[in-house]
Amino acid sequence: MIIVLRKTATQEQTGDILERLRAINLTGQVIRSSARTIISILEGTQGLPSHIFSQMQGVEKLIRLESSAFKATAAEASVNISNRTVIGSGIPKVIAGPCSVEGQAQILHIARQVGKLGASGLRGGAFKPRTSPYDFQGLGLEGLKYLREAADATELPVISEVMAPEQVESAEEYLDVLQIGARNMYNYALLKEVGKSRRPVLLKRALSATIDELLNSAEYIMSAGNQQVILCERGIRTFEKYTRNTLDLSAVAALKNMTRLPVMVDPSHGTGRPELVRPMCRAAVACGADGLLIEVHDNPAQAYSDGEQAITPDMLKDIIADVHLIYDALTGTVERSLSSTTI
Ligand code: PEP
Ligand code: MN
């Protein structure tokens, strides 16, 4: 942390700041030039509230060098979501399925389809955060049971959203990954509860959250004990109306630089348009995403929720082929095979 003093700060005010630092066992180094005085504190300021100094006489501003998201920077780079499936290592993983679990046969049917096409995981909402209370709210616990059956039948790990702390215990029983939806990224009681879980957590960025706020929410989960956090960019709200949200792929590259946590991309909620899902998947893999979360429905027109953005299994097939192509090109496999044919 650096405390920048006002040009008018007196010796006495500088002394008071150093005295306050000493009182809380911190050491400040004073650096003076003819124009400015600053005090640098290199250690021990993590979690220290800024107002302790910002309101002192002679202080112009505080510059915090440390990130508040310190667990996210030191975390493991990959998260195992099943015995066979790791997010954040190797080829980006595709997790696909309907927005909502609509019934036992429906989820089993889609699970079989996406599994056959090469998806690495199944998604489907049982507790649904709908904008209108009159819209389909999900099948709840019954939906979780159907998800588990479909996951077991296809040997796919399954992910679904939990919306309240009291849902976590039963969700853990049925799911491989707990999803925190965009609307709950700021639900700190829920974040702490999934932080106590043994299951990995996929944390979605809230509709208007900054990257730093997303990281702080990850920090809530990790500081409660659960280090298995996967971040998910799912689009943010901007002035643009053509797309449902603006998919912020720069956040993916930024998060990959800032943390070691795996980052997934949800192009379905990110665009709200099925024809944009494939190009955004390509771009997501190209910019470093560790996985894709995609809404797939075999009959989008009949879907109980988000049918307007669902892609069909046919489209998923093309996307999975793209993921392989782009990943191979980026990791050099294609280049190697081209040069070996030239030789
Ligand atoms: C979902 O994944 O179905 C969902 C509700 O997503 P989000 O929380 O990103 O809106
Ligand atoms: Mn949805």
Side-chain angles (χ1 to χ4, degrees):
M1 186 169 83
I2 293 171
I3 303 175
V4 180
L5 302 192
R6 290 185 194 283
K7 285 188 179 135
T8 54
T10 63
Q11 287 279 11
E12 200 188 349
Q13 288 167 347
T14 312
D16 287 348
I17 296 165
L18 292 172
E19 187 55 43
R20 187 164 293 184
L21 282 168
R22 268 193 295 277
I24 50 174
N25 291 325
L26 294 177
T27 313
Q29 195 187 356
V30 182
I31 303 161
R32 283 197 177 88
S33 77
S34 53
R36 277 274 188 217
T37 299
I38 62 172
I39 301 173
S40 81
I41 307 114
L42 292 179
E43 276 172 25
T45 57
Q46 197 81 59
L48 191 72
S50 303
H51 68 258
I52 295 183
F53 299 103
S54 61
Q55 293 189 10
M56 287 187 79
Q57 296 286 320
V59 173
E60 183 175 307
K61 64 178 172 185
L62 264 90
I63 301 170
R64 302 204 76 126
L65 302 173
E66 76 275 22
S67 160
S68 57
F70 54 98
K71 283 200 167 20
T73 48
E76 281 298 319
S78 59
V79 173
N80 288 47
I81 62 167
S82 73
N83 295 339
R84 302 185 298 179
T85 312
V86 186
I87 311 277
S89 167
I91 190 162
K93 309 301 181 307
V94 175
I95 298 181
C99 178
S100 297
V101 180
E102 298 169 8
Q104 191 175 25
Q106 173 252 12
I107 192 67
L108 182 61
H109 181 62
I110 298 185
R112 289 208 163 110
Q113 285 180 303
V114 301
K116 214 173 348 160
L117 294 173
S120 303
L122 174 68
R123 63 145 290 149
F127 300 104
K128 292 306 302 175
R130 306 305 302 281
T131 302
S132 163
Y134 308 113
D135 287 340
F136 177 59
Q137 301 288 307
L139 297 179
L141 201 57
E142 195 190 346
L144 291 182
K145 291 178 185 165
Y146 297 156
L147 275 170
R148 185 74 258 155
E149 285 172 14
D152 288 344
T154 52
E155 294 184 22
L156 291 173
V158 64
I159 176 168
S160 192
E161 178 166 354
V162 283
M163 288 170 54
E166 57 274 19
Q167 291 167 356
V168 173
E169 203 181 329
S170 48
E172 272 185 327
E173 248 185 78
Y174 297 105
L175 302 175
D176 298 291
V177 184
L178 308 175
Q179 176 174 320
I180 301 295
R183 288 155 195 82
N184 276 306
M185 193 205 86
Y186 296 111
N187 183 341
Y188 299 119
L190 180 60
L191 298 178
K192 285 181 187 172
E193 195 60 31
V194 297
K196 290 188 247 157
S197 171
R198 61 185 194 283
R199 297 290 185 204
V201 176
L202 179 115
L203 174 65
K204 289 186 135 193
R205 184 181 183 181
L207 278 66
S208 60
T210 63
I211 291 172
D212 196 53
E213 287 168 335
L214 172 63
L215 286 177
N216 271 298
S217 289
E219 209 64 22
Y220 263 93
I221 300 169
M222 299 172 88
S223 60
N226 191 346
Q227 308 305 303
Q228 305 171 89
V229 177
I230 303 162
L231 304 171
C232 182
E233 163 59 36
R234 48 78 71 205
I236 48 175
R237 194 168 269 179
T238 68
F239 50 80
E240 182 55 68
K241 293 277 172 283
Y242 181 78
T243 43
R244 180 176 178 183
N245 289 291
T246 297
L247 188 65
D248 181 11
L249 291 181
S250 61
V252 176
L255 288 165
K256 296 293 295 178
N257 276 332
M258 295 163 78
T259 80
R260 299 187 68 213
L261 295 174
V263 182
M264 291 189 66
V265 168
D266 171 351
S268 303
H269 295 87
T271 64
R273 289 177 170 264
E275 73 279 13
L276 299 185
V277 169
R278 185 178 178 191
M280 289 301 97
C281 286
R282 290 173 163 179
V285 173
C287 76
D290 298 298
L292 302 166
L293 186 69
I294 309 173
E295 288 190 346
V296 178
H297 202 285
D298 52 346
N299 188 354
Q302 300 287 316
Y304 288 10
S305 60
D306 283 350
E308 61 286 354
Q309 70 193 26
I311 62 162
T312 56
D314 271 1
M315 294 161 98
L316 181 69
K317 189 175 171 198
D318 291 337
I319 288 169
I320 291 177
D322 286 346
V323 172
H324 280 88
L325 266 176
I326 295 168
Y327 178 74
D328 286 349
L330 291 175
T331 53
T333 320
V334 168
E335 199 184 320
R336 275 199 301 279
S337 62
L338 282 180
S339 54
S340 60
T341 30
T342 324
I343 294 163

